[in-house]
Every structure is written in structure tokens, then in C-alpha cells.
Amino acid sequence: MWLGKSAVVGVGLSKFGKREDASLRELAAEAVYESFQDARDIEPGDVEAVIVASSQPERLVVQSHVAPLICEYLGVKPSKGAFRVESACSSGGVALRMADIMIRSGEASKVLVVGVEKMTEAPRSEVMTTLSIVGDKDWESIHGITAPAGFALAAQRHMLEYGTKEEHLGLVAVKNHANAELNPKAMFRRRITLNEYKDSPPIAKPLKLLDCSPICDGASCVILTDAEDARKYNDTPVVVKSITQTTIGNSSTTVDDLTTWKPLVEAASRAYSLAGISPKQVDVAEVHDCFTIAEIIEYEDLGFCGKGYGGRFVEEGQSAIGGEVAVNTSGGLKAKGHPIGATGIAQVVEITLQLRGEAGKRQVSGADIGLTHNLGGFAVNHVVGIYGRMT
Amino acid sequence: MWLGKSAVVGVGLSKFGKREDASLRELAAEAVYESFQDARDIEPGDVEAVIVASSQPERLVVQSHVAPLICEYLGVKPSKGAFRVESACSSGGVALRMADIMIRSGEASKVLVVGVEKMTEAPRSEVMTTLSIVGDKDWESIHGITAPAGFALAAQRHMLEYGTKEEHLGLVAVKNHANAELNPKAMFRRRITLNEYKDSPPIAKPLKLLDCSPICDGASCVILTDAEDARKYNDTPVVVKSITQTTIGNSSTTVDDLTTWKPLVEAASRAYSLAGISPKQVDVAEVHDCFTIAEIIEYEDLGFCGKGYGGRFVEEGQSAIGGEVAVNTSGGLKAKGHPIGATGIAQVVEITLQLRGEAGKRQVSGADIGLTHNLGGFAVNHVVGIYGRMT
């Protein structure tokens, strides 16, 4: 059993939503400052390396080289460097993974991991172009295989093969909105009903507006240190047990089964094995519900339920707070919001709060083991992380 | 003395230049295929992780998520994931650094590092915007502090403080063009004279056209493996002795001395220390000559000569092939070309050929130790690598 080497000692999250009041760097600072308030006896000047996750600041806010830009705004001069990682919607997960690897290799002992995306400033047409070019522009996106279309194909196939119903998709949205109501940082702090869901406008059959995560501004931050020193900076550090990533390509044709995402199964299997746990031991999980069907498939591919039983799993309340495994207690991408680069790191912020027992009204009682799943592109790129309280 | 853990077992480079015949993924494949021909008994399917360095494909070719895109085109499905790093002009150096760290941490034992940029497809106005937003758009670039202007300030100050002359800048360009003539992959395979240099049009005083590296298409590739296994894949592996990075911010105001780049001095000092060598032991170096003045300052800050003696160093031929340390034998950014994301990795391709004795007409005799220096933004972000033959 591999014991993990790095630990989370500080977390921060900006308010998610349409943030006309804050620029990209200001959003990042909001999350970073909160993380330094959360940790103890650690200052921005102590940070050795900074990894920024951001998907497309060049198009969305017309600014590149954002890692040094954010460092400058924070007054951080990292002697072990700053850089950005891009892995579309899984950028945040990859940034955390690289921070963990830097610490495990001995390269650095204090790494600041910042995720940020400001998506509401650019004109809507520019935002649509930006999102569509995550897919293969020359061979797929240009023909209409954008994200909603791709995930709609997965939903249709899951319905055909396993009898998953529109209501199952709707129940994911209803659950995640209910959780978001309890999260002060969420974009949509309101419950929705199944009827509201059913009446929402169609996007790509069978997906409706309320199946889709929103365009959103936001930032997230995690301070990761060597686990050996973690108690200096926090009374309740959260240990990174494992982070894995698997990639198979970019276009939908590389996904040879629309309803079983093999790279996710592979990444999850390795993450469980490295952490020395089984799926049934996971108490709380933040998974990539960019569209509701994704959460249903992820229940299955993460091993929370059998293949094809994802719809029933949510219907039975097994993924609700108090169920078998509480999924997306933060509200998920659906209702907390999905500022692309911030998402993977925001997932770890939520898991950290849950494992510390600091998640307020959405607290899962006795949460010992948490899992994150962050996805990039059309289910082609998956990052799975497993976290636990330091004992 | 830290002995290094990873080794270069295969290198490849596309032809640099205006490549209307090749798309981004085709350029990448050109470099990658060459690297697999260079290595032995290793196939694309053996690759565990892929790191892609690319600065702004979203603006330059309107395509994001390029790491999985390139994987798909190559037929690689990396079980330990693919992602992109962005660090402006130092993206390639950072990608290599992360690959080395992945190997040292035990995360992967075979990593493909690919750098690519296609800069000549977009309209010129778009390319200019793309380059300018590497700087702080809100506070600097918009006022004209673009890259040529920033490096022109450094040149003016170096001239004032140390008596560096226009001819010294020109001699860097003359040397690098002479080297490029010997490099079949270079963009500009022609010598220039000092008079041609002097007559070239002004860009930002004192910099002229022939002080500047060109807009260019190109790709580069390095296959990095665990050093212990390296001889399986290549008879003459090149060991990564150290790679360091230091970042101080993004805007020119963070550089508190225009003629001594402190983050470079710091990164170099740590790189030498980790590798257990002194600057005088370096036989061959590829340094970031985005503008000629940069190469002169880098001679000094890398310790090849004393502060202020950079101009004299090139004048005396100390940085020519056959001099004290042969600098930019490939032709450098100036004459080989500077496809942004490809540059840092292309530097390691050249150093590898030199250390193996395979650099053809530009071979430095008896080259044992090689150094690379890759810079991002206005001298704010520096990556230094030291390489040696496996003994």
C-alpha cells in the first residue's frame, strides 16, 4: 500500500457565478487569500512553486502566461518556478497531480495550486468557439460534435442499453441543485423540481438545459505540502492517497464504448489500488457532472454501482447526502458552476472540507475517504484522486 | 552530487520555417516519428505519458486540448496521461522539467515530450495580438511594452552600463546565422554580414530586424526514460543532470535589474550545483536568443564570462564553435527559428546531437557537458538544464 506523500493544508474558493466585479487575477487572488487564511504559519512568500490550471484565458480574457501574471499579483516569486497546465476541463486535476508529483520527487515541499477561468467576459459567440475547439476542430467540432452533442450520444446509448430514463438524468440535476443550495460559494443556490427539469428547453436530445453545467467565472486554490510537515500548517491535514490520469485521444471516435469509459475505469482502478481501498470505502465524491449523464456513467465506472445501474443509484438516493456515497455535495459542476480550469481543484476543496467535518449544512457525517473525478474533452482524458484524513 | 535519473534516448525535430505543407498535428508527428527512428526498440505504444509544450494553439490555429489531439494522431494512448504545459516561450523547458520529475518520482518510466507551434497560419494581426498578450495586457502590452520593446530597454541599459555596442549585438546574429547554415533543419540557412545586420530595418531602438528571432512553424520531440534502462533504447544516452526553473512575475517591473536577470542567475546557480559542475565545464550551450541582447546577457548570467563582458565574449569568438563554449550551434532562436512551444525541446535535441558527436558540420569536438536555457515572458521565467553523456 502506497501511503501518500503530500497533504492539503489550505483550501480556498472564490464565489462562483457571473463575476462582473472581478478580473481573472482578482478571482484567483480571492481563492488564494482564502487558502492562506485557512492554513497556518504559511505565507505567500513561502511558496516554492505555483501551478495554475486554466483552459483558455488567451481567448476568454485575451491574456496568456497567466501563471507568472497571477504570481505577480499575489507577490509570490516561486524559486522553483510557476507554470500553467492545460487539459481542457481536467486542467485542475492535472495541476494537482503534478503538484503531488513535484512533492513526491523532492522537487518542492510547498506548492500552490490555483485554478481559474473567467468565462462570462467574452462575447457569447467567442465563448462558444472556445468551448467547441476543445474537440477536434478539423474533424469533429466543425460538424457539430460539440460537448453537448457528444454527451447526448452517450445518454441515448445508455438509455437504449440499460433502460436509463429522462427522470434519472433529471434526478441528478435535482440532487445537485439541492446540494448547491447549501453551498454559499455555488452559482445556483436554488432547488429545482423534476417538473422544472422536464420543462427546461432542449439542447441536444435527450439533454435539456438543466442537464448542462453553466458558463461560469470562478477560482479555486489548494496549498499542498510534504505530508511530514503538514501538521505545522493545519490541525487537520488531508492526505493525497493517489492521483492518476489516463488519456486515450481527443475525438469521440477514440471512445470505443459510449457507456463504459475505459480510460476512467483504468484511472480509477489504479487510483484505488495505489490508495489501497475499494470503491465501497468512498464516503464522499466530487465527480465530473458536466452533463447529468456523465454523473450516472461515473457512478458505474468508479465502481459505486454495477454497470447500467447508475440511474437506479440516484433514484434510490444512494448518491445523496446520507446515501451509500454522497456525490457532488458541493452542487457539482451542474449547480456549483464549472469555471473550467477551476473545477478539478474546487473538487478537492470540497472533499477537504468534508473530510475535516467543515462542510456546514451539507456535511456528510463520518466522512473518512473522499474521491475526485475530473474529465477532459469527450470522456477521453480522466483524472481520479483519492484523499483521506491524516491519522 | 545529484546524479540524475532520466535520460534522453530519442530526439526528433521537424524542419523549421514557414510550413504551409503541415498542420499542427502533422508538424508534431514529423518530430515524433524522427525521435522513434532515433531510439531503438521503443514504439509509440510503449509511451506511458505525453507532455506537450505549446504556447497559444487556441489563437494561432484555433485548436485547444492539443495534447490528446496529438496522441490520437500518433496512435498513443498514454496510461499515465497526456497534458499540455504553457509557460510562454519557456513552455518546452518546463515540459522537459516535468517529464524529468515524473520519472524521478517513479510516476512513469517512458515519457514523450513534444513541443509544437504553428505561427504562420493566422493573419499577421492575430499573431501580433497573440505575442503581445504574453505580457500583461491590462497594464503593460497595451501601452507598447511588447517583447521587442522590453528587450530594447535591456539593450539600451546594457550599452549604457557596460559599453556594449551595436556591433556586439550584430556579431551574435552573424554567428548564429553562420551556425544555422550548417543545420539542415534551420529556418534561415544563410550567413549574414555585419553590414547586412547594420542595414536591417529598425524595430525598437537599438534592436533591428536582424536582432529578432522570426515567427516560425516547427516541432521538436524528446523521448525521456529512466536512466537505468536507457541503454536498451540507445547506445549513447544523454543524461539529464539537472533542470531548474525560477519565476519572478510577469511584467517588466518585476525585473529589478534590466541587465542582470536575477531569476536566471538563481536557476543557473541551482542547476550547476545539482549537476555538480561549474560554468567553465560547459562545452556547448543552447540559450534563449529571442533577441541578440538576450544572448549577451545570458553569457554573463550563466557565468560564461563576467558581468558586462558579454559583448567582448562574442567579439573574441568565445561563443563560436571552437571557442570557450559554443553557444547556439543550432543557429539559435535567431536563425534556426522560434516556434514558441517547440523551442525549449529543440534546444535539448541540439545538445543531445552535440554530446553524441552527431551534429555534423557544426559538431563541437569533445563536447561532454551541454546546457540549455529557455526563457519565458520578459526575462521573468527561466529554465536551465544541464546534460551529459552517460558514462
Side-chain angles (χ1 to χ4, degrees):
Chain A
M1 179 174 157
W2 182 74
L3 290 166
K5 184 72 167 60
S6 73
V8 177
V9 301
V11 294
L13 202 66
S14 79
K15 169 74 181 165
F16 279 21
K18 187 166 167 57
R19 292 292 307 272
E20 287 173 332
D21 60 314
S23 68
L24 180 109
R25 74 187 90 191
E26 288 166 341
L27 284 170
E30 198 176 310
V32 171
Y33 288 155
E34 190 173 273
S35 72
F36 279 103
Q37 288 177 321
D38 181 45
R40 181 181 59 209
D41 290 338
I42 187 166
E43 303 290 331
D46 299 328
V47 165
E48 293 166 286
V50 176
I51 307 181
V52 172
S54 195
S55 171
Q56 295 194 51
E58 289 84 1
R59 295 195 72 100
L60 293 169
V61 297
V62 195
Q63 177 66 59
S64 191
H65 211 210
V66 296
L69 185 97
I70 289 169
C71 286
E72 183 173 344
Y73 193 63
L74 298 171
V76 175
K77 299 186 179 198
S79 62
K80 305 284 179 72
F83 61 94
R84 163 178 162 231
V85 297
E86 181 275 311
S87 182
C89 302
S90 60
S91 299
V94 172
L96 278 155
R97 178 181 178 227
M98 294 320 293
D100 174 59
I101 290 173
M102 284 183 85
I103 290 172
R104 283 198 277 125
S105 73
E107 180 72 14
S109 60
K110 296 178 196 72
V111 183
L112 192 68
V113 193
V114 183
V116 63
E117 210 84 51
K118 183 155 177 63
M119 304 180 72
T120 71
E121 186 176 289
R124 182 55 64 106
S125 62
E126 176 66 14
V127 177
M128 290 297 110
T129 299
T130 298
L131 293 173
S132 75
I133 64 171
V134 167
D136 190 322
K137 179 202 58 171
D138 295 341
W139 296 98
E140 278 211 337
S141 317
I142 208 162
H143 304 296
I145 313 280
T146 57
F151 285 91
L153 289 175
Q156 287 186 18
R157 189 76 204 172
H158 205 274
M159 288 170 156
L160 178 75
E161 285 190 31
Y162 303 113
T164 301
K165 295 184 169 48
E166 183 192 0
E167 286 75 12
H168 293 131
L169 303 180
L171 287 169
V172 170
V174 168
K175 168 182 71 70
N176 291 352
H177 271 265
N179 290 345
E181 192 189 25
L182 308 176
N183 182 356
K185 300 289 180 66
M187 181 172 191
F188 298 128
R189 298 198 63 197
R190 64 178 185 87
R191 290 173 177 264
I192 58 166
T193 65
L194 204 51
N195 280 337
E196 269 179 88
Y197 165 80
K198 287 181 181 170
D199 291 341
S200 70
I203 299 291
K205 194 180 174 186
L207 302 181
K208 290 177 274 291
L209 184 64
L210 287 175
D211 286 297
C212 308
S213 55
I215 287 163
C216 177
D217 305 327
S220 50
C221 181
V222 163
I223 306 172
L224 217 60
T225 69
D226 201 304
E228 285 185 13
D229 303 327
R231 284 198 201 279
K232 285 187 213 166
Y233 308 115
N234 200 300
D235 289 332
T236 50
V238 164
V239 176
V240 180
K241 290 179 170 282
S242 59
I243 307 180
T244 60
Q245 185 196 2
T246 297
T247 310
I248 51 162
N250 196 45
S251 70
S252 66
T253 57
T254 59
V255 180
D256 55 9
D257 185 335
L258 283 169
T259 58
T260 299
W261 295 339
K262 289 182 188 167
L264 169 54
V265 172
E266 185 181 331
S269 157
R270 207 165 66 245
Y272 288 129
S273 164
L274 287 167
I277 66 154
S278 75
K280 301 295 176 208
Q281 289 176 262
V282 176
D283 300 304
V284 57
E286 291 282 305
V287 308
H288 201 94
D289 59 326
C290 47
F291 299 93
T292 51
I293 182 62
E295 182 167 321
I296 286 178
I297 292 173
E298 290 152 11
Y299 296 153
E300 302 167 0
D301 289 348
L302 288 165
F304 298 158
C305 67
K307 180 47 67 185
Y309 287 85
R312 212 174 302 173
F313 197 70
V314 65
E315 191 173 34
E316 290 171 355
Q318 300 292 7
S319 57
I321 295 171
E324 178 83 18
V325 48
V327 176
N328 286 330
T329 56
S330 69
L333 284 59
K334 172 67 203 82
K336 181 180 57 185
H338 181 26
I340 300 179
T343 286
I345 298 161
Q347 293 178 327
V348 176
V349 173
E350 178 70 9
I351 292 298
T352 299
L353 296 177
Q354 288 285 356
L355 296 182
R356 286 189 197 158
E358 297 174 1
K361 291 184 180 171
R362 61 189 192 283
Q363 180 65 45
V364 174
S365 68
D368 277 328
I369 302 281
L371 176 146
T372 58
H373 163 250
N374 193 196
L375 173 163
F378 178 60
V380 289
N381 204 345
H382 297 266
V383 183
V384 175
I386 297 177
Y387 298 82
R389 271 206 309 266
M390 186 175 273
T391 48
Chain B
M1 179 175 158
W2 182 75
L3 291 166
K5 184 71 166 61
S6 73
V8 177
V9 301
V11 295
L13 202 66
S14 79
K15 169 74 180 164
F16 279 20
K18 186 165 167 58
R19 292 292 307 273
E20 287 173 332
D21 61 314
S23 68
L24 180 109
R25 73 187 90 191
E26 288 166 341
L27 284 170
E30 197 175 311
V32 171
Y33 288 154
E34 190 173 274
S35 72
F36 279 103
Q37 288 177 321
D38 182 45
R40 182 181 58 210
D41 290 337
I42 187 166
E43 303 290 331
D46 299 328
V47 165
E48 292 165 287
V50 176
I51 308 182
V52 172
S54 195
S55 171
Q56 295 194 51
E58 289 83 1
R59 296 195 71 99
L60 292 169
V61 297
V62 195
Q63 177 66 59
S64 191
H65 211 210
V66 295
L69 185 97
I70 289 168
C71 285
E72 182 173 343
Y73 193 62
L74 298 171
V76 175
K77 300 187 179 198
S79 62
K80 304 283 179 73
F83 61 94
R84 163 179 162 230
V85 297
E86 181 275 312
S87 182
C89 302
S90 60
S91 299
V94 171
L96 278 155
R97 178 180 179 227
M98 295 320 294
D100 174 58
I101 291 173
M102 284 183 85
I103 290 172
R104 283 199 277 125
S105 73
E107 180 72 14
S109 61
K110 295 178 197 73
V111 182
L112 192 68
V113 193
V114 183
V116 63
E117 210 84 51
K118 183 155 178 63
M119 303 179 72
T120 71
E121 185 176 291
R124 181 55 64 105
S125 61
E126 175 67 14
V127 177
M128 290 297 109
T129 299
T130 298
L131 293 173
S132 75
I133 64 171
V134 167
D136 190 321
K137 178 202 58 170
D138 295 341
W139 296 97
E140 278 211 337
S141 317
I142 208 161
H143 304 296
I145 313 280
T146 56
F151 285 91
L153 290 175
Q156 287 186 18
R157 190 76 204 172
H158 205 274
M159 288 170 156
L160 178 75
E161 285 190 31
Y162 302 113
T164 301
K165 295 183 170 48
E166 183 192 359
E167 286 75 12
H168 294 131
L169 303 180
L171 287 169
V172 171
V174 168
K175 168 182 72 69
N176 291 352
H177 272 265
N179 290 345
E181 192 190 25
L182 308 175
N183 182 356
K185 300 289 180 67
M187 181 172 191
F188 298 128
R189 298 197 63 197
R190 64 178 186 86
R191 289 172 177 266
I192 59 166
T193 65
L194 204 51
N195 279 337
E196 269 179 88
Y197 165 80
K198 286 181 182 171
D199 292 341
S200 70
I203 298 291
K205 195 180 173 186
L207 302 181
K208 291 177 273 293
L209 183 64
L210 287 175
D211 286 297
C212 308
S213 55
I215 287 163
C216 178
D217 306 326
S220 49
C221 181
V222 163
I223 306 172
L224 217 60
T225 69
D226 202 304
E228 285 185 14
D229 302 327
R231 284 198 201 280
K232 283 188 215 166
Y233 309 115
N234 200 300
D235 289 332
T236 50
V238 164
V239 176
V240 180
K241 290 178 170 282
S242 59
I243 307 180
T244 60
Q245 185 196 3
T246 297
T247 310
I248 51 162
N250 196 44
S251 70
S252 66
T253 57
T254 59
V255 180
D256 54 9
D257 185 335
L258 283 169
T259 58
T260 298
W261 295 339
K262 289 182 188 167
L264 169 54
V265 172
E266 185 181 331
S269 157
R270 207 166 64 246
Y272 288 129
S273 165
L274 287 167
I277 66 154
S278 76
K280 301 296 176 207
Q281 289 176 262
V282 176
D283 300 304
V284 57
E286 290 282 305
V287 308
H288 201 94
D289 59 326
C290 47
F291 300 93
T292 52
I293 182 62
E295 182 167 322
I296 286 178
I297 292 173
E298 290 152 11
Y299 296 153
E300 302 167 359
D301 289 349
L302 288 166
F304 298 158
C305 66
K307 180 48 67 184
Y309 288 84
R312 212 174 302 172
F313 196 71
V314 65
E315 191 173 33
E316 291 170 355
Q318 301 292 7
S319 57
I321 295 171
E324 179 83 19
V325 48
V327 176
N328 286 330
T329 56
S330 69
L333 284 59
K334 172 66 204 82
K336 182 181 57 187
H338 181 26
I340 300 178
T343 286
I345 298 160
Q347 293 179 326
V348 176
V349 173
E350 178 70 9
I351 292 298
T352 299
L353 296 177
Q354 288 285 356
L355 295 182
R356 286 188 196 159
E358 297 174 0
K361 291 183 179 172
R362 61 190 192 283
Q363 180 65 45
V364 174
S365 69
D368 277 328
I369 302 281
L371 176 146
T372 58
H373 164 250
N374 193 196
L375 173 163
F378 178 59
V380 290
N381 204 344
H382 296 266
V383 183
V384 175
I386 297 177
Y387 298 82
R389 272 207 308 267
M390 186 175 273
T391 47

